Amino acid sequence: MSNKPYDLEERLVNFAADAALFCKGIPNDFTGQYYGHQLLRSAGSSAQLLLKTDY
């Protein structure tokens, strides 16, 4: 990682990891699975999209 004071890439990767850990605690019912999967997809895509750009 670079030495930028505001490293967006690192923050988004950490957010995706935190979201994954949070989803482990969501109940394993239909609603929990639905929203848990959506949260994982959304959190992970933010970091992936940033990596594809020339930011």
Side-chain angles (χ1 to χ4, degrees):
M1 303 282 164
S2 64
N3 291 328
K4 297 178 196 171
Y6 182 74
D7 192 355
L8 188 58
E9 179 182 350
E10 183 177 347
R11 291 181 60 162
L12 285 173
V13 169
N14 287 338
F15 174 70
D18 289 343
L21 292 174
F22 175 80
C23 287
K24 285 186 168 188
I26 294 177
N28 195 17
D29 58 4
F30 176 79
T31 305
Q33 286 184 358
Y34 178 82
Y35 287 110
H37 290 157
Q38 179 62 43
L39 176 59
L40 287 173
R41 286 190 302 270
S42 299
S45 69
S46 301
Q48 290 175 347
L49 287 172
L50 181 70
L51 294 174
K52 290 183 179 182
T53 64
D54 291 331
Y55 117 97

